[in-house]
Amino acid sequence: MGKKVSIDDIAKSLGVSKTLVSLVLNDKGDKHGISPETQKRVKAKIKELNYQPNVLARGFRMGKTNTIGLLVSDISNRFYSRIARSIEDLAWNHGYTVVICSTDEDINKENEQIRLLRDRKLDGLIISTSQDTSELFDKLVEAGLPHVLIDRTFEGMRSLNVSVDNFAGGRMAARHLLHQGYRKIAVFGITPDHISTINDRINGFLSALAEEGVSVPPHWLIKTPFAEMDKTIKEKLQQFYQAGSMPEAIFTLNNNLTSACMLNLRKLSIEIPRQVAIMGFDDVSFFSFTRPSISVIAQPIERISEVAFDLLLRQIEGSKISEKEKSVKLPVDIIIRESTIKS
Amino acid sequence: MGKKVSIDDIAKSLGVSKTLVSLVLNDKGDKHGISPETQKRVKAKIKELNYQPNVLARGFRMGKTNTIGLLVSDISNRFYSRIARSIEDLAWNHGYTVVICSTDEDINKENEQIRLLRDRKLDGLIISTSQDTSELFDKLVEAGLPHVLIDRTFEGMRSLNVSVDNFAGGRMAARHLLHQGYRKIAVFGITPDHISTINDRINGFLSALAEEGVSVPPHWLIKTPFAEMDKTIKEKLQQFYQAGSMPEAIFTLNNNLTSACMLNLRKLSIEIPRQVAIMGFDDVSFFSFTRPSISVIAQPIERISEVAFDLLLRQIEGSKISEKEKSVKLPVDIIIRESTIKS
DNA sequence: AATTCTTACTAAATCGTTTTAGTTTTTTCT
DNA sequence: AGAAAAAACTAAAACGATTTAGTAAGAATT
């Protein structure tokens, strides 16, 4: 590998200043009155010597890295890996690379990661947060660090955010189950207690049930820590089963819960939907060919990514963002498959 | 946001040189004979002013970024997202962040991405390549850019690589199917034709079949482009079905193919394993609770990640790596579930 | 008492850009 | 012809660290 060619080499070999070369390089030649011929000469030399700008030097000087960060609870969760893929594509098309961090629903880890990424002068952050307050993000807003929250948000926060209408999603799920004639319904969610998506889904669900005079008994409203999901679900299902008080239907609040539920019902040889119906939140391609296939509330993953990236980019570039755009709520869809159909 | 504190501020406020501060900062104080008291004073001041080194400046000076790149064909593929998660954790524990790029099995895109990541002076790369020759990697070796190939490799290449024993995996799959009494077997893989994993799996599979005098007719050895996977599988299955010449078993060479196959068999109401058995390569948690659950050859994802990261780190740090370690081949497991069991 | 050796430190160069604040030369205007 | 304006360029500073090549002062050696 030959020595790296620098801007200085170009300048010297042409007998001009490096200021000039830099100007041409950044398409500011015209603005600064560099003659067209000189510009042409410089450009030719750049090609000839195969000059590649030193991105680090530039980043150092400009305080810009053309890199954004994506923080999610777990990149191997199918929902987030699809978000990641969409964002990565968008970023690539705009000359950005993306750094990915999994927070494990751990507030401290998330804090540390954000600190690290700030130190590294990433240009912006897209975050599905595990925080319990908006404090940190208020700080980020004050510090002027471009960022947008996806998936989970807080009431009245100042950071830009794009989420889906989880409340409506919960309602859709409830109305469908009611319509199918289910009344005895359990709900499986995850802790910590402050995750907005989970709560909105629950609230929407309960509100629609309440309208028909149906309620979920407290011991059927189950939240489990992320790490113990499988164990909890197994225990609870076993409990229900052995006590002979199986719910008629279960609403699982994310794709992992849905999977874990399916797996354990399977192990107990409980038939779906004959003995218990399953309605999930989040779609995953597999859910369409399991037997039975699984009814879900599906989120518009591409759209979330697009809106979030667009907002982030506009912040980075410093363009105006209207109040209306600062908090976007996207609609969800219900996909009715076999797991909820009463025979 | 208060002004950023630089090394110079520390130096001035203590009346020492920034050389001294830098030395203390990097634990080189003793080596350069800085007195313990001075070191203590400096450290105290650093705390007091809450100094955070400018990572960009340091990276620029040192040519090091503490960032590694991970290139895979598609981060939303479950196999790769789990690899990504493992590597991310390992990287985080060693003070590295990871940039992720999806290549879409596109040689040109991969080339561009590698170029970009080199420009950005990433410290190292972990790559599941889509290249058809080892040319590029030989160049990387010559250029001294630390990198490790995972998953896919080339014969006699000079880059470090860690893969699984795909050939053995193919054999295991074949022997199991034979043992169950299947003889008329189809294979679904992906193009391009040079992907080493796919070819090794096929060769292993065919070799074990051949030992029992069984062969796969050419029109049952199907390779489809990544992007058209679903369409191809649908067409082929329909074709088989309508022609009344269904294979007794199908070997699908990655998890996406397995899923697509399941989905389309489902649509055609073909029963598994009664009408056709399915054996997949790559395990995914869903495969354990689909009905039927799916037999697979499973790869040791964590182990692949660990070995690859370890090799990368040692390259970056410049430690010796023995010839033996330069090409690691890990064993695979067969997980027998319902989809291949003859009733 | 002059020389060498230690100890404890520092000045300045360096990395490769971008940008500020000019300078020099030529043209235009009155 | 002399002043003002425009055109075409440049020197040097700045970004914030690390590192090379020292220096100054005192202790030890001869």
Side-chain angles (χ1 to χ4, degrees), chain A residues 68-126:
Chain A
I68 64 171
L70 173 65
L71 277 83
V72 297
S73 59
D74 178 12
I75 186 63
S76 72
N77 175 320
R78 183 101 187 132
F79 175 69
Y80 293 119
S81 71
R82 286 182 58 199
I83 292 265
R85 179 59 208 271
S86 299
I87 288 178
E88 187 212 316
D89 285 347
L90 292 161
W92 176 256
N93 289 335
H94 289 82
Y96 285 80
T97 50
V98 8
V99 165
I100 291 183
C101 296
S102 299
T103 61
D104 273 326
E105 310 280 359
D106 179 337
I107 300 185
N108 293 327
K109 194 168 174 192
E110 182 178 320
N111 279 326
E112 257 198 274
Q113 284 168 334
I114 291 179
R115 205 170 46 63
L116 184 81
L117 297 185
R118 287 184 68 179
D119 279 359
R120 300 213 170 176
K121 304 279 190 297
L122 294 224
D123 298 332
L125 264 27
I126 294 180

Side-chain angles (χ1 to χ4, degrees), chain A residues 7 18 22 28 51 54 58 61:
Chain A
I7 225 171
K18 46 188 189 160
S22 171
K28 294 182 182 166
Y51 164 76
N54 179 323
R58 178 180 286 167
R61 174 65 224 247

Side-chain angles (χ1 to χ4, degrees), chain B residues 221-266:
Chain B
L221 214 171
I222 294 147
K223 285 188 178 181
T224 165
F226 180 68
E228 294 166 24
M229 179 181 303
D230 218 61
K231 190 170 132 262
T232 312
I233 288 185
K234 189 177 183 168
E235 282 172 13
K236 290 293 174 182
L237 288 177
Q238 239 157 7
Q239 231 169 276
F240 296 164
Y241 192 57
Q242 281 157 8
S245 67
M246 209 60 196
E248 295 165 355
I250 299 176
F251 183 33
T252 48
L253 296 180
N254 72 26
N255 71 66
N256 282 331
L257 290 160
T258 310
S259 298
C261 227
M262 290 295 289
L263 178 61
N264 284 292
L265 287 170
R266 183 80 215 277

Side-chain angles (χ1 to χ4, degrees), chain B residues 162 300-308 330:
Chain B
V162 6
I301 293 185
E302 312 259 305
R303 197 79 197 101
I304 295 173
S305 310
E306 280 166 18
V307 176
L330 299 168

Side-chain angles (χ1 to χ4, degrees), chain B residues 7 22 26 28 51 54 58 61:
Chain B
I7 222 171
S22 171
N26 293 292
K28 294 182 181 166
Y51 165 75
N54 180 323
R58 180 179 284 167
R61 174 64 224 249

Side-chain angles (χ1 to χ4, degrees), chain A residues 116-173:
Chain A
L116 184 81
L117 297 185
R118 287 184 68 179
D119 279 359
R120 300 213 170 176
K121 304 279 190 297
L122 294 224
D123 298 332
L125 264 27
I126 294 180
I127 307 169
S128 168
T129 185
S130 301
Q131 306 282 325
D132 53 350
T133 72
S134 64
E135 198 183 333
L136 171 64
F137 302 109
D138 291 340
K139 268 190 209 147
L140 293 187
V141 171
E142 265 152 47
L145 180 78
H147 65 284
V148 358
L149 270 68
I150 56 170
D151 192 34
R152 306 167 179 182
T153 79
F154 298 96
E155 275 299 303
M157 74 172 333
R158 295 158 61 202
S159 304
L160 305 207
N161 57 85
V162 6
S163 54
V164 302
D165 196 340
N166 288 293
F167 188 85
R171 287 186 60 84
M172 286 158 99

Side-chain angles (χ1 to χ4, degrees), chain B residues 23-276:
Chain B
L23 257 20
V24 172
L25 211 58
N26 293 292
D27 282 325
K28 294 182 181 166
D30 292 337
K31 221 168 64 187
H32 288 254
I34 311 295
S35 73
E37 305 93 71
T38 312
Q39 294 200 36
K40 229 171 266 167
R41 279 200 307 145
V42 171
K43 279 176 181 159
K45 194 53 110 180
I46 285 174
K47 274 248 171 67
E48 184 195 328
L49 299 185
N50 185 30
Y51 165 75
Q52 314 264 71
N54 180 323
V55 183
L56 245 46
R58 180 179 284 167
F60 164 51
R61 174 64 224 249
M62 314 274 282
K64 188 160 192 293
T65 51
N66 278 282
T67 303
I68 63 170
L70 174 65
L71 277 84
V72 297
S73 59
D74 178 12
I75 187 61
S76 72
N77 175 320
R78 183 103 186 131
F79 174 71
Y80 293 119
S81 71
R82 287 181 58 198
I83 292 265
R85 179 59 208 272
S86 299
I87 288 178
E88 187 212 317
D89 285 347
L90 292 162
W92 176 255
N93 290 334
H94 289 82
Y96 284 80
T97 49
V98 9
V99 165
I100 291 182
C101 295
S102 299
T103 61
D104 273 325
E105 310 281 358
D106 178 337
I107 299 186
N108 293 326
K109 195 169 172 192
E110 182 179 321
N111 278 327
E112 258 198 272
Q113 285 169 333
I114 291 178
R115 205 170 44 63
L116 183 81
L117 297 185
R118 287 184 68 178
D119 279 359
R120 300 211 170 176
K121 304 280 190 296
L122 293 223
D123 298 332
L125 264 27
I126 294 180
I127 307 169
S128 168
T129 186
S130 301
Q131 306 283 324
D132 53 350
T133 72
S134 64
E135 197 183 333
L136 172 64
F137 302 110
D138 290 341
K139 268 190 209 147
L140 293 187
V141 171
E142 264 152 47
L145 180 78
H147 65 286
V148 176
L149 269 69
I150 57 171
D151 192 35
R152 305 168 178 181
T153 84
F154 298 95
E155 275 298 303
M157 73 172 333
R158 296 159 59 200
S159 304
L160 305 206
N161 57 87
V162 6
S163 54
V164 301
D165 195 340
N166 289 294
F167 189 85
R171 287 186 60 84
M172 287 159 98
R175 299 200 59 78
H176 169 63
L177 292 177
L178 287 170
H179 190 253
Q180 288 291 317
Y182 302 108
R183 306 278 136 169
K184 296 166 61 182
I185 306 176
V187 176
F188 283 169
I190 54 170
T191 58
D193 260 324
H194 58 262
I195 301 179
S196 67
T197 48
I198 297 293
N199 290 328
D200 292 349
R201 289 166 197 177
I202 292 177
N203 291 335
F205 191 74
L206 296 182
S207 85
L209 289 187
E211 286 169 11
E212 302 289 323
V214 175
S215 66
V216 173
H219 68 285
W220 275 7
L221 214 171
I222 294 147
K223 285 188 178 181
T224 165
F226 180 68
E228 294 166 24
M229 179 181 303
D230 218 61
K231 190 170 132 262
T232 312
I233 288 185
K234 189 177 183 168
E235 282 172 13
K236 290 293 174 182
L237 288 177
Q238 239 157 7
Q239 231 169 276
F240 296 164
Y241 192 57
Q242 281 157 8
S245 67
M246 209 60 196
E248 295 165 355
I250 299 176
F251 183 33
T252 48
L253 296 180
N254 72 26
N255 71 66
N256 282 331
L257 290 160
T258 310
S259 298
C261 227
M262 290 295 289
L263 178 61
N264 284 292
L265 287 170
R266 183 80 215 277
K267 282 188 187 151
L268 293 169
S269 297
I270 296 172
E271 270 182 55
I272 310 166
R274 201 176 57 77
Q275 291 173 279
V276 60

